[in-house]
Amino acid sequence: MTTEPDDADRWVHVLVTETLADDAVTAVVARFDAAIAADVAALTVDRELRRDLHASNVAQARAMLGWIVSDSDEVTPPPAAHELARTVARRGLPLKVLMQIYRAGQTVLVRHVAVVAADRVQDPTLVPGIQIRLLERASRWISVSLEILTDTYAEQRERDLRGDVARRVETVQALVRGDVLDDGVAATRLGHPLRTTHLALVAWVDGPGSGTTDLDTSLRDALRTSPGHRVLTVSAGSGALWAWVSGDGVSADVTPDGVADGVRLAVGTVGTGPDGFRRSHLEALRAQSVAESAPGTAPVVAYADVEIAYLLAGRPDAVDAFVARELRGIDGADVASDRLRRTVAAYLRHDRSLDAAARRLGVHRNTVRYRVRRAEEELGRPIGGPGRLELELALAYRRVFPDPDYYST
């Protein structure tokens, strides 16, 4: 008599329970995300689609692992998986993209199972049985999930095609890509003026959101628009929205100082005509990328305030060396160093005026004078002489991307 089946089942429960731990799930999902993005080209240029993919992977991983060790045969994909299917449909992407996502995820799972089982199980004769049990259940979950989510995809496509949503999304995407469109035709399809000035915004929520309808309402309530301004919004995912405020006299002043709790906002600069419509949107996306990668950024991030940091961040190895060199002596993670950097930045921004810098910082001019002298001592060179440009660039970058240790001090 052999005890291999019982032992194999016991190990399946052990391995699944360990993988359900937060750190383990995070590691597995990170591999899912990377493998799927590498195999599915449509994901590499679509931030919100990648965001929905990650949320779906996290939810699916937990749901599937729990189901594997349960007695249930009923497969119920989590809500985040349905949201991903809807986002794929809203983008006008073919169904095969959704299938590619799940095939790539299944490949990662197969490899993960093989590695973990071989590493954790001391008796090599048990490993094949463990792998078979895990993969049979996992394959069943993925197969049935894909059948269910195919229906969700089809329902969303049918819903979009019944109205003007698909046409509006298609037109916006064509404008953003820079494809040649007749201005008048595009404006008619959008029901939105194009031969005017535009300010683009990206609104999103970190983590699971309450839906783009609520996000649209929150954004419109927050914008300070005049009667002559028009607002165009397009869903960019389950928890993200692209928006444009357009009309004569549009400026950055329409942007709110704050937004509803949990909502974040990235803002481009004002542009004119279809080219300005596109450029302002791309800038808003860049500001969003900075907001998501830089710790401690405000809920509202304007591209004009983070452009230098965005440009410098393209080569992290080079920029780290550059910033360390230029700010040597005042680049610490402590509060005192941060205070010196802010003082020097204000001093240079106001053309070395002690009074203007003091007003900006809300301190006495003598405090600014003392801090500037202290910074010059630490830097080993006068502020405002040769190398001023490099110093200002380094300060602008460090303002947006502080030393990671700053938040642990």
Side-chain angles (χ1 to χ4, degrees):
M1 183 178 70
T2 177
T3 60
E4 182 175 322
D6 290 339
D7 288 340
D9 286 340
R10 179 175 59 82
W11 270 110
V12 166
H13 279 75
V14 169
L15 295 175
V16 167
T17 301
E18 291 180 353
T19 305
L20 276 169
D22 288 342
D23 290 346
V25 167
T26 299
V28 172
V29 170
R31 288 195 287 272
F32 280 7
D33 290 349
I36 293 169
D39 287 353
V40 186
L43 295 174
T44 61
V45 294
D46 195 323
R47 174 180 297 275
E48 299 309 329
L49 186 52
R50 292 200 306 272
R51 184 195 299 277
D52 283 0
L53 170 70
H54 176 73
S56 176
N57 284 342
V58 171
Q60 281 279 47
R62 292 191 179 280
M64 179 180 64
L65 288 167
W67 181 82
I68 285 174
V69 294
S70 74
D71 296 327
S72 174
D73 287 328
E74 183 178 354
V75 174
T76 305
H82 289 279
E83 288 297 344
L84 173 63
R86 294 186 186 102
T87 298
V88 171
R90 291 187 188 107
R91 292 295 193 278
L93 296 170
L95 180 60
K96 70 176 183 179
V97 169
L98 193 63
M99 295 179 174
Q100 285 176 313
I101 289 172
Y102 277 85
R103 280 199 297 268
Q106 186 171 15
T107 300
V108 171
L109 181 66
V110 169
R111 293 172 181 167
H112 173 75
V113 167
V115 171
V116 172
D119 181 62
R120 288 283 286 112
V121 181
Q122 289 77 24
D123 185 350
T125 63
L126 291 176
V127 173
I130 294 168
Q131 292 176 337
I132 289 171
R133 284 163 173 74
L134 282 168
L135 295 179
E136 283 178 345
R137 291 285 279 176
S139 296
R140 167 71 177 167
W141 176 276
I142 291 173
S143 176
V144 176
S145 284
L146 199 49
E147 290 179 10
I148 295 170
L149 297 172
T150 295
D151 290 341
T152 299
Y153 170 93
E155 290 168 3
Q156 184 64 48
R157 286 288 288 167
E158 183 179 357
R159 186 179 301 115
D160 289 348
L161 292 172
R162 280 202 298 263
D164 295 328
V165 175
R167 179 180 296 181
R168 185 166 69 248
V169 170
E170 179 184 346
T171 303
V172 165
Q173 291 177 341
L175 286 166
V176 168
R177 289 193 304 267
D179 290 351
V180 177
L181 279 176
D182 179 273
D183 297 356
V185 172
T188 299
R189 289 179 178 176
L190 293 175
H192 189 82
L194 287 176
R195 296 170 184 170
T196 185
T197 53
H198 309 278
L199 182 70
L201 309 97
V202 175
W204 76 101
V205 291
D206 287 325
S210 56
T212 52
T213 300
D214 292 342
L215 196 56
D216 192 327
T217 301
S218 298
L219 178 62
R220 289 177 182 272
D221 288 345
L223 290 173
R224 297 188 289 266
T225 57
S226 72
H229 294 161
R230 301 282 298 277
V231 179
L232 170 69
T233 60
V234 174
S235 173
S238 61
L241 199 70
W242 293 349
W244 288 262
V245 181
S246 306
D248 294 339
V250 166
S251 71
D253 292 339
V254 305
T255 305
D257 294 326
V259 288
D261 289 344
V263 176
R264 305 190 69 187
L265 199 63
V267 188
T269 62
V270 174
T272 303
D275 287 342
F277 182 95
R278 174 178 182 271
R279 177 180 54 77
S280 185
H281 174 68
L282 295 178
E283 290 173 344
L285 291 178
R286 293 165 188 160
Q288 182 189 23
S289 72
V290 172
E292 292 185 321
S293 58
T297 52
V300 180
V301 177
Y303 181 66
D305 294 333
V306 299
E307 182 176 24
I308 290 174
Y310 172 80
L311 296 173
L312 291 175
R315 290 293 302 273
D317 54 341
V319 76
D320 285 345
F322 167 75
V323 172
R325 183 188 71 235
E326 293 300 322
L327 301 183
R328 184 176 293 115
I330 63 170
D331 198 28
D334 55 288
V335 174
S337 295
D338 181 64
R339 186 183 300 121
L340 288 182
R341 291 193 297 271
R342 292 178 182 275
T343 300
V344 172
Y347 179 65
L348 291 174
R349 188 179 302 119
H350 293 283
D351 201 21
R352 295 188 289 173
S353 167
L354 293 174
D355 291 328
R359 286 194 295 271
R360 170 71 177 177
L361 296 169
V363 299
H364 194 276
R365 72 189 308 270
N366 287 340
T367 301
V368 176
R369 188 198 307 276
Y370 167 77
R371 292 179 185 172
V372 168
R373 287 178 178 173
R374 178 66 186 276
E376 289 178 332
E377 292 173 1
E378 296 292 339
L379 291 167
R381 66 181 188 273
I383 293 172
R388 171 175 174 170
L389 174 61
E390 290 82 356
L391 178 60
E392 288 190 276
L393 289 173
L395 288 166
Y397 181 85
R398 184 56 78 217
R399 176 178 61 83
V400 177
F401 293 102
D403 186 315
D405 292 335
Y406 178 77
Y407 290 96
S408 61
T409 57

